[in-house]
Amino acid sequence: MQDRFGRTIDYMRISVTDRCNLRCVYCMPAGGVDSVPHEEILSYEEILRVAASVAQIGISKIKITGGEPLVRRGIVDFIRRLKQISGIENVTLTTNGVKFYELGAALSQAGVKGVNFSLDCLNPDTYEQITRVDALSKVLSAIELSVKLGLTTKVNCVPIAKYNGSQWSSIADLAKKHPVHVRFIEVMPIGLGKDYAPVSSSRIMTQLKADYGQPTKLDIRQGNGPAVYYAFPNFQGNIGFISAISDSFCDSCNRVRLTSDGVLKPCLCYSDGVSLKPLLRGSATDNQLIDAIKAAIFGKPFQHNLCGEADETSETNNMVKIGG
Ligand code: SAM
Ligand code: SF4
């Protein structure tokens, strides 16, 4: 469907849990966050009902996110059922990769077509400083498996000068050596992200050009997202930049989000959203559910306010609660 600004909304990010097995410094405090009680998290049945409803109004692409989606029990079977919903054409996943090696083959069989791995560096010490867990080797094996399974494989790196400032080329090197796309995602001033200064794409690009030569800008979109892509000489995958702050892409935004506790969020940066839980757990008919979803999507704001005054960004949750 279209929102009131004429944007086609065909993509939903569904967070299946607010729990995570890592503690990335820009996303989750070292001691974790108070988790939503289990009974407040939507059941898989409830999420599938929302997915069937949004499929009827033209949302055909779903990204499963978290917290860490692979820590929720039953995720493979849930994805299999999601994929069977008429109108849901593409189901992808974003994961920290720690549990992917054990689940990858089953996820692929269940219908996952692509995986985004969050990985900010290739140095084990830096990895542990950022995520507070020693798990780099598991993530690297997971990425290798994803490529072997023939899944569209992307690596998402959040550049933070203090942590991985000297390692952008080594992360980009993954796209040279393997058929994976590496994307640099500007840190957003949401939750703990407010503690870190974004690194501009141009700063990273200067480094990459020095190490890999002149790239060609690609006139393509890959997947659902707003990344701007470049092809570097002799690279198997492309390099992308997602710059929500320095290069806002709100005018072509195609997405909404469903949090694990059932709030339909029209925009990442505002806390506003419509709680679908009372409808799902009450006596609402499917049509009433669809009407509530349509109203929320129609009211999507035109743009984020991440560049405005701090208090104008009303979302106070850490990204782990929202799903990125
Ligand atoms: N745990 C999964 C993962 O890491 O891919 C899924 C959830 S995580 C919240 C989704 C994405 O949000 C990750 O790529 C992560 O790097 C990104 N993220 C978290 N906090 C962020 C922030 N403040 N600014 C930009 N991206 C952020
Ligand atoms: Fe967990 Fe992903 Fe947040 Fe890292 S970015 S703490 S892996 S939810």
Side-chain angles (χ1 to χ4, degrees):
M1 69 170 276
Q2 290 199 326
D3 71 1
R4 68 196 148 125
F5 301 106
R7 295 172 294 195
T8 298
I9 308 300
D10 60 1
Y11 171 49
M12 179 180 249
R13 294 177 71 95
I14 296 181
S15 170
V16 294
T17 180
D18 63 341
R19 287 152 172 85
C20 187
N21 46 358
L22 298 186
R23 297 281 179 274
C24 301
V25 289
Y26 45 78
C27 179
M28 183 94 144
V33 290
D34 288 339
S35 295
V36 176
H38 278 293
E39 62 277 13
E40 295 303 325
I41 298 281
L42 293 192
S43 67
Y44 284 141
E45 291 300 333
E46 289 166 336
I47 301 175
L48 290 166
R49 189 169 167 215
V50 174
S53 302
V54 299
Q56 286 189 45
I57 55 173
I59 291 184
S60 58
K61 300 180 268 193
I62 305 271
K63 172 90 69 203
I64 302 301
T65 178
E68 171 49 38
L70 301 188
V71 301
R72 181 158 174 185
R73 250 178 290 161
I75 187 74
V76 173
D77 198 48
F78 161 69
I79 288 179
R80 182 176 297 111
R81 294 171 68 199
L82 182 63
K83 197 68 209 312
Q84 284 162 0
I85 293 173
S86 165
I88 299 295
E89 290 163 11
N90 195 271
V91 177
T92 55
L93 179 73
T94 177
T95 173
N96 60 36
V98 174
K99 281 176 71 82
F100 184 86
Y101 191 79
E102 52 193 276
L103 295 173
L107 286 164
S108 168
Q109 271 185 355
V112 168
K113 287 284 172 258
V115 185
N116 293 359
F117 291 96
S118 299
L119 177 61
D120 299 329
C121 60
L122 295 183
N123 176 296
D125 294 333
T126 313
Y127 181 89
E128 195 168 339
Q129 280 166 17
I130 296 174
T131 66
R132 302 181 174 112
V133 178
D134 168 12
L136 178 63
S137 58
K138 287 186 181 168
V139 183
L140 294 177
S141 308
I143 294 171
E144 203 179 317
L145 175 66
S146 176
V147 170
K148 212 181 273 176
L149 289 167
L151 303 173
T152 302
T153 304
K154 297 176 187 165
V155 169
N156 290 339
C157 167
V158 176
I160 307 258
K162 171 179 168 190
Y163 289 104
N164 56 11
S166 58
Q167 300 178 43
W168 300 322
S169 288
S170 63
I171 275 280
D173 207 54
L174 285 173
K176 180 171 186 181
K177 297 193 175 127
H178 309 279
V180 307
H181 305 298
V182 173
R183 293 115 52 90
F184 293 96
I185 302 183
E186 234 169 44
V187 68
M188 286 182 261
I190 290 181
L192 290 171
K194 288 190 176 128
D195 296 347
Y196 301 96
V199 178
S200 69
S201 315
S202 59
R203 189 166 155 200
I204 298 168
M205 191 52 118
T206 303
Q207 181 68 59
L208 300 189
K209 279 182 185 167
D211 290 337
Y212 296 114
Q214 190 64 28
T216 310
K217 188 172 179 192
L218 300 174
D219 194 17
I220 51 161
R221 269 171 74 125
Q222 239 149 21
N224 312 311
V228 177
Y229 280 100
Y230 295 82
F232 278 82
N234 305 317
F235 271 48
Q236 299 186 52
N238 298 323
I239 300 292
F241 292 93
I242 301 180
S243 316
I245 314 297
S246 57
D247 184 14
S248 165
F249 34 73
C250 298
D251 56 349
S252 60
C253 186
N254 62 346
R255 63 195 55 194
V256 289
R257 294 172 164 80
L258 181 68
T259 64
S260 57
D261 56 352
V263 177
L264 181 66
K265 267 179 77 68
C267 176
L268 178 67
C269 111
Y270 299 98
S271 60
D272 315 12
V274 173
S275 178
L276 301 180
K277 209 168 11 176
L279 299 170
L280 292 164
R281 296 189 177 175
S283 54
T285 62
D286 287 348
N287 283 341
Q288 286 168 327
L289 180 61
I290 290 175
D291 285 346
I293 293 170
K294 275 181 167 167
I297 293 179
F298 194 72
K300 186 173 159 66
F302 183 61
Q303 59 189 5
H304 69 60
N305 202 3
L306 297 174
C307 316
E309 296 299 316
D311 59 1
E312 289 178 43
T313 300
S314 65
E315 181 53 84
T316 53
N317 277 312
N318 283 317
M319 207 66 103
V320 67
K321 292 261 183 198
I322 309 168

